[in-house]
Amino acid sequence: MSWFDDYSKAIDKRQEQLVKGVPTLIPFKSFPRLSQKVPGFIPGDSILISGTTGCGKSRFTRSLLKDTIAFCEENNLEVDIIINSLEESTEKFVVSSLSSALYKRFGIKSNYFNLANYSTAPMDAKLREQINQCKEDVNALQKHVEIVHIANPYGFFLHVLKHLFDTGKFYMNAKQLMTFEEVKGNVNAWNRYVPNNPYRMVIAVSDTLDAYISESGKTKYETVLNYSKFFTRKVLGLQCNVISLFVQQQSSDLERIQTNFKGKTEIDKLKPGLDTLLTCRAVAQDVSLAIGIFDPVKYGETEYLGYSNIDNFKDGDFRSLVILKTREGEKTTDNEVPCVAYFSRDEFVELPKPDDFVNMKKFYQ
């Protein structure tokens, strides 16, 4: 079959799916301005979320994933999300779900310490009852999410591969591989994966890449690069259509200021960049989308992207989503989407345009 015939067959198959009312991608539902620049998650994609310590990388990731689950449930799509959380506990994800549910149901703004009951005094009985009323919200997420803590990236790859084996079929030419040991032992040989449910998407999250341990005989750089380039991009992405999402740290502020980016102001040097990833910069070559999270207030900025008094938002903190790379290549202009990070409900909310005074008013104190 020719390349064109393969392409034609693929788009006709997606057309059949769309005619049935089932989307072929997962849009950034709560981020319309981001969706204008990047349509959403596409099967087989690798996505990088990066930023400095405390900017909200994991929170933004959770916000995207909760948004993804809501969209899939509304549009007849099955989604399985496997999160390898190497820096936060399963309880943190539960509390994240609770904080969103408590705000939506009761308008309650809380924090991790209150909801996890780390205190010197007993929890308020009314809050405890309201938490109980959010049980179904948490259970609804658990239907789609598995949280693991696997320090070795190859171990996480095998965990995702086993999930695929349990929910589909692997073939080496025309022969179906009947055991997981066959699949694992022939990673370089099998050439087709068929999911039991063609409308199911799988998302594998590594939070964070920097926390992976080095494999035997390899440096951490080599370990992360091999995981990104071979196991994630080639095997899980190109052959199994798994969407991979990486969270990765940026290098320190001082290192970025001292880096010789000619023609850049100091504030521009402090923004996230592909050249300032901490553990393995080469990961940027393998991803189809890279987003950096930037906090200009941290560096004394009170005006940014046409927004004023950004240090005075009500209940939230200004953040800019910097689109560093898309499928079309590195982005250098018109590449920022302003948001507010609500840490009390573990969500990111896209801001209206700065001249939309009516809708902007509600974001200020």
Side-chain angles (χ1 to χ4, degrees), residues 208-349:
T208 67
L209 279 180
D210 309 286
Y212 276 129
I213 62 172
S214 302
E215 294 178 349
S216 178
K218 291 186 175 71
T219 64
K220 180 177 280 195
Y221 177 93
E222 292 168 336
T223 297
V224 171
L225 182 61
N226 189 49
Y227 173 66
S228 167
K229 188 175 290 293
F230 178 72
F231 293 119
T232 298
R233 187 76 190 115
K234 182 178 182 296
V235 181
L236 296 181
L238 293 176
Q239 294 184 217
C240 302
N241 271 341
V242 172
I243 299 166
S244 291
L245 202 158
F246 306 133
V247 180
Q248 190 173 7
Q249 184 83 2
Q250 289 276 317
S251 57
S252 71
D253 296 342
L254 182 60
E255 286 177 303
R256 285 179 290 149
I257 289 172
Q258 291 175 339
T259 301
N260 184 26
F261 294 131
K262 292 182 179 179
K264 284 193 174 184
T265 63
E266 185 168 301
I267 196 68
D268 284 331
K269 286 186 177 184
L270 289 166
K271 291 180 186 178
L274 299 178
D275 293 328
T276 50
L277 295 170
L278 184 60
T279 300
C280 183
R281 296 172 187 175
V283 167
Q285 299 171 8
D286 304 317
V287 300
S288 45
L289 171 63
I291 297 175
I293 302 174
F294 183 54
D295 175 12
V297 177
K298 176 181 177 181
Y299 308 107
E301 300 293 312
T302 58
E303 295 187 5
Y304 194 76
L305 298 178
Y307 296 86
S308 59
N309 300 319
I310 61 172
D311 57 338
N312 196 36
F313 281 154
K314 181 172 62 177
D315 304 323
D317 300 301
F318 183 92
R319 294 290 187 272
S320 177
L321 304 180
V322 185
I323 303 170
L324 303 172
K325 178 186 176 184
T326 67
R327 295 168 194 87
E328 283 71 48
E330 193 168 344
K331 291 280 288 183
T332 56
T333 59
D334 188 29
N335 66 334
E336 295 193 53
V337 178
C339 294
V340 175
Y342 289 106
F343 292 89
S344 61
R345 60 185 199 247
D346 216 40
E347 290 180 345
F348 273 61
V349 175

Side-chain angles (χ1 to χ4, degrees), residues 182-221:
E182 285 183 285
V183 173
K184 185 172 71 170
N186 291 280
V187 167
N188 288 299
W190 52 258
N191 50 12
R192 189 161 61 99
Y193 173 72
V194 180
N196 295 336
N197 180 352
Y199 303 148
R200 175 181 56 85
M201 294 197 185
V202 177
I203 303 176
V205 182
S206 292
D207 186 7
T208 67
L209 279 180
D210 309 286
Y212 276 129
I213 62 172
S214 302
E215 294 178 349
S216 178
K218 291 186 175 71
T219 64
K220 180 177 280 195
Y221 177 93

Side-chain angles (χ1 to χ4, degrees), residues 73 97 134-144:
E73 288 192 333
S97 307
C134 295
K135 179 179 179 180
E136 291 307 312
D137 298 81
V138 176
N139 288 346
L141 282 176
Q142 191 174 356
K143 286 192 308 182
H144 302 282

